[in-house]
């Protein structure tokens, strides 16, 4: 596997500094430096301390990761929104877990991705889920097809530079057209349910009201932090739990899961430096309420 960039700066720069600017983590750089890959400038192998000149191409060559035998390849169909040499964007339906767990080892999204890549005879069969969704949350997931891509995107994830927007139907009438929920979220031992508590982690959720009626509100949500169950906890804490969310008090007749959908995903591709933006339409579960 190899990736190439053309340095567009005006002054010489060390390979390490340039790759760090692109997003590469220390761990991957050190792995390549210590023999698990090769740096090439103008298609010639060079030392990791080499400086690149303006308009010179830098290539890194890295061996594929070994396939994880614990992840079983599934042949179930996968809804692919976008694919290139480095990324997959998947539109996940409700009712499917993102990764294997005690209750499902064979048919999760990760199993399906591995099966999809195997079917395409991809050189790397160890995909990395960059974003994940709860089992009953639908929408867009970003997948790195190899560990170089995973390393290159990690900086954007850690610094919350990746834009993630959700659509949710919440109970009741949310009065403000726009708002920011800033309440710390904590975990309690032995409980799946998270709580708003002073000893919790900082959490910020921004929202815009898109539609209302007398019993529900459709909101567009942007996460500024990434806590477990953040949207569900925050809206329950202001008296508007997600419709269908039995864990946080949003039970509704005829709905067996929270009406939450990952509707938009946008990030800077560290390989091309282009902004990639993807959207997903609301699933049918939403529409049965909205068209009434």
């Amino acid at each position: 596997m190899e990736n190439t960039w053309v340095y567009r700066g005006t002054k010489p720069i060390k390979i390490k500094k340039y790759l760090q600017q692109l997003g590469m983590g220390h761990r991957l750089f050190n792995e390549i430096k210590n023999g698990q890959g090769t740096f090439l400038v103008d298609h010639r192998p060079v030392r990791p301390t080499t400086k690149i000149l303006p308009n010179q191409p830098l290539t890194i060559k890295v061996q594929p990761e070994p396939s994880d035998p614990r992840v079983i390849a599934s042949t179930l169909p996968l809804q692919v929104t976008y694919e290139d040499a480095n990324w997959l964007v998947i539109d996940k339906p409700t009712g499917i877990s993102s990764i294997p767990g005690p209750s499902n080892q064979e048919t999760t999204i990760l199993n399906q991705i591995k099966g999809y890549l195997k079917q395409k005879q991809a050189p790397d069969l160890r995909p990395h889920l960059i974003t994940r969704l709860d089992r009953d949350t639908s929408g867009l997931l970003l997948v790195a097809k190899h560990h170089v891509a995973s390393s290159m995107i990690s900086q954007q994830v850690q610094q919350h530079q990746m834009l993630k927007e959700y659509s949710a139907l919440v109970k009741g009438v949310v009065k403000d057209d726009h708002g920011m929920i800033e309440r710390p979220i904590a975990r309690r031992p032995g409980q799946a349910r998270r709580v708003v508590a002073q000893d919790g982690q900082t959490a910020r959720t921004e929202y815009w009201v898109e539609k209302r009626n007398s019993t529900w509100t459709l909101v567009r949500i942007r996460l500024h932090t990434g806590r477990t169950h953040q949207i569900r906890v925050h809206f329950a804490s202001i008296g508007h739990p997600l419709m269908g969310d039995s864990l946080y008090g949003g039970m509704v007749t005829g709905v067996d899961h929270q009406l939450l959908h990952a509707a938009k995903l946008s990030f800077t591709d560290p390989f091309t430096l282009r902004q990639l933006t993807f959207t997903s339409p609301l699933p049918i579960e939403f529409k049965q309420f909205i068209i009434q």
Side-chain angles (χ1 to χ4, degrees), residues 164-175:
K164 293 184 286 183
E165 288 190 352
Y166 295 75
S167 294
L169 267 177
V170 304
K171 293 183 75 172
V173 180
V174 177
K175 294 181 180 179

Side-chain angles (χ1 to χ4, degrees), residues 25-283:
H26 293 288
R27 181 178 176 180
L28 178 59
F29 181 86
N30 288 334
E31 287 176 358
I32 301 172
K33 174 184 172 182
N34 294 327
Q36 295 183 37
T38 309
F39 300 105
L40 300 97
V41 174
D42 277 332
H43 313 291
R44 297 190 304 271
V46 296
R47 295 172 181 258
T49 53
T50 300
K51 287 187 176 181
I52 317 168
L53 302 178
N55 299 315
Q56 276 191 315
L58 167 67
T59 299
I60 59 170
K61 288 187 177 182
V62 181
Q63 291 298 315
E65 287 182 290
S67 175
D68 186 347
R70 298 169 298 177
V71 178
I72 300 165
S74 168
T75 57
L76 289 174
L78 192 66
Q79 189 168 340
V80 177
T81 296
Y82 174 81
E83 180 177 9
D84 63 21
N86 306 303
W87 311 108
L88 276 170
V89 177
I90 305 301
D91 203 336
K92 184 185 92 65
T94 58
I96 299 179
S97 300
S98 293
I99 60 173
S103 63
N104 185 357
Q105 292 285 327
E106 299 183 4
T107 61
T108 71
I109 290 296
L110 187 60
N111 298 116
Q112 293 178 33
I113 293 167
K114 184 173 181 178
Y116 174 83
L117 293 174
K118 189 174 182 180
Q119 204 169 37
K120 298 192 74 172
Q121 299 183 326
D124 198 313
L125 295 178
R126 198 168 187 137
H128 298 255
L129 266 64
I130 305 304
T131 61
R132 299 180 187 180
L133 297 173
D134 292 343
R135 181 179 181 275
D136 290 327
T137 300
S138 58
L140 299 172
L141 284 172
L142 177 62
V143 182
K145 293 173 74 172
H146 49 78
H147 64 304
V148 174
S150 178
S151 173
M152 299 296 287
I153 200 70
S154 61
Q155 182 174 295
Q156 290 185 56
V157 174
Q158 292 164 6
Q159 297 179 3
H160 306 292
Q161 295 170 337
M162 184 179 295
L163 185 146
K164 293 184 286 183
E165 288 190 352
Y166 295 75
S167 294
L169 267 177
V170 304
K171 293 183 75 172
V173 180
V174 177
K175 294 181 180 179
D176 294 331
D177 290 338
H178 171 252
M180 180 78 77
I181 306 172
E182 299 186 76
R183 299 184 176 188
I185 295 175
R187 183 177 184 175
R188 294 293 180 251
Q191 296 182 21
R193 196 174 188 271
R194 270 41 174 189
V195 296
V196 167
Q198 290 304 312
D199 63 343
Q201 294 177 296
T202 300
R204 300 176 67 235
T205 303
E206 189 173 8
Y207 68 86
W208 295 262
V209 169
E210 303 221 309
K211 195 169 185 178
R212 299 181 180 91
N213 83 351
S214 59
T215 58
W216 53 256
T217 304
L218 176 65
V219 288
R220 176 168 59 91
I221 300 161
R222 183 174 298 175
L223 291 181
H224 294 278
T225 53
R227 310 304 176 201
T228 300
H229 294 184
Q230 179 172 320
I231 293 171
R232 300 165 67 187
V233 175
H234 270 174
F235 277 90
S237 76
I238 63 170
H240 297 288
L242 273 61
M243 294 181 70
D245 191 351
S246 57
L247 187 61
Y248 292 99
M251 291 182 67
V252 177
T253 302
V255 181
D256 63 358
H257 63 275
Q258 69 269 7
L259 295 186
L260 180 62
H261 181 69
K264 186 174 182 179
L265 175 67
S266 184
F267 66 97
T268 302
D269 185 341
F271 297 100
T272 64
L273 303 184
R274 292 187 297 119
Q275 190 72 20
L276 298 179
T277 300
F278 308 96
T279 58
S280 171
L282 289 177

